[in-house]
């Protein structure tokens, strides 16, 4: 009975020695007596098995994958969005004209600028006029502003033509009407040509 217990203990110690080696490449732990307050200069064995049956279970740690940042707009063909949604149309107007007496001038037309588009018969020229007015502070303030109340205007009748312009101009809301009922309105209409038809 004692021989069997001794044999079992010897086998267990042998397996433990194989799984966790006592020595390392740099040296071994001193087997001599350790005095109080001193530490042996030998290396401490690693807690992770490098040989034996448990070595295969050691995880293989590699570099962690890094997320790929999105490409900037000038590399991804402009598909990305950013501050510069510069291709957005900032001028989009609906121009309705009646009673001009000019063939093809009456009707409702769409005008887009940047790039030029819509059904306006003089789209590019109209966009050029809007850009010209928008280049100055006075032009931005005056182009679509109605004639102020109380303004002294000459009593000149320029015809029965009327118009309404609704939409956005360079990002600003526009909703205005125009006519040719007196000198002030005639001058205002003429300043909007070719957004409005030339009926002079």
């Amino acid at each position: 009975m004692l021989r069997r217990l001794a044999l079992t203990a010897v086998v267990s110690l042998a397996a433990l020695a194989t799984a966790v080696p006592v020595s390392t490449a740099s040296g071994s732990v001193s087997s001599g007596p350790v005095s109080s307050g001193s530490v042996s200069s030998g290396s401490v064995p690693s807690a992770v098995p490098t040989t034996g049956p448990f070595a295969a279970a050691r995880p293989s740690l590699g570099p962690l994958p890094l997320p790929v940042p999105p490409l900037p707009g000038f590399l991804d063909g402009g598909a990305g969005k950013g501050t510069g949604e510069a291709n957005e149309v900032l001028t989009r107007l609906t121009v309705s004209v009646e009673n001009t007496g000019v063939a093809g001038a009456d009707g409702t037309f769409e005008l887009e600028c940047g790039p030029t588009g819509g059904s306006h018969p003089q789209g590019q020229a109209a966009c050029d006029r809007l850009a010209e007015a928008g280049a100055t502070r006075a032009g931005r303030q005056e182009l679509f502003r109605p004639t102020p109340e109380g303004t002294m205007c000459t009593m000149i009748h320029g015809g029965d033509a009327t118009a309404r312009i609704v939409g956005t101009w360079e990002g600003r809301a526009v909703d205005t009407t125009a006519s040719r009922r007196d000198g002030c309105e005639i001058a205002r209409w003429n300043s909007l040509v070719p957004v409005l038809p030339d009926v002079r």
Side-chain angles (χ1 to χ4, degrees):
M1 182 68 179
L2 293 175
R3 180 177 296 178
R4 184 180 300 174
L5 292 175
L7 181 59
T8 302
V10 170
V11 172
S12 300
L13 289 175
L16 182 61
T18 303
V20 183
V22 176
S23 61
T24 64
S26 59
S28 60
V29 178
S30 173
S31 60
V34 179
S35 61
S36 175
S38 65
V39 180
S40 172
S41 60
S43 301
V44 178
S46 172
V48 180
T50 57
T51 61
F54 297 102
R58 182 180 181 182
S60 177
L61 298 179
L64 296 177
L66 297 176
V68 179
L71 291 174
F74 66 89
L75 291 179
D76 66 0
K81 295 182 179 180
T83 46
E85 302 193 351
N87 291 330
E88 181 183 358
V89 177
L90 297 180
T91 296
R92 182 180 288 111
L93 299 173
T94 300
V95 182
S96 301
V97 183
E98 297 178 346
N99 303 319
T100 61
V102 177
D106 290 359
T108 298
F109 310 100
E110 301 296 328
L111 175 63
E112 294 181 359
C113 302
T116 302
S119 59
H120 195 286
Q122 300 185 63
Q124 186 58 58
C127 288
D128 291 344
R129 174 68 187 106
L130 293 175
E132 178 186 16
T136 65
R137 181 178 180 182
R140 291 191 297 272
Q141 292 177 343
E142 300 293 334
L143 185 62
F144 290 110
R145 192 176 73 169
T147 303
E149 289 289 335
T151 301
M152 299 294 293
C153 303
T154 58
M155 301 301 295
I156 301 174
H157 184 68
D160 297 327
T162 59
R164 185 180 183 186
I165 303 174
V166 180
T168 56
W169 172 46
E170 296 186 353
R172 294 184 290 271
V174 172
D175 187 352
T176 190
T177 58
S179 70
R180 299 180 65 82
R181 67 175 181 265
D182 56 37
C184 294
E185 286 297 293
I186 291 172
R188 184 163 172 265
W189 182 293
N190 292 343
S191 72
L192 286 165
V193 174
V195 179
L196 297 181
D198 189 351
V199 294
R200 290 173 287 188

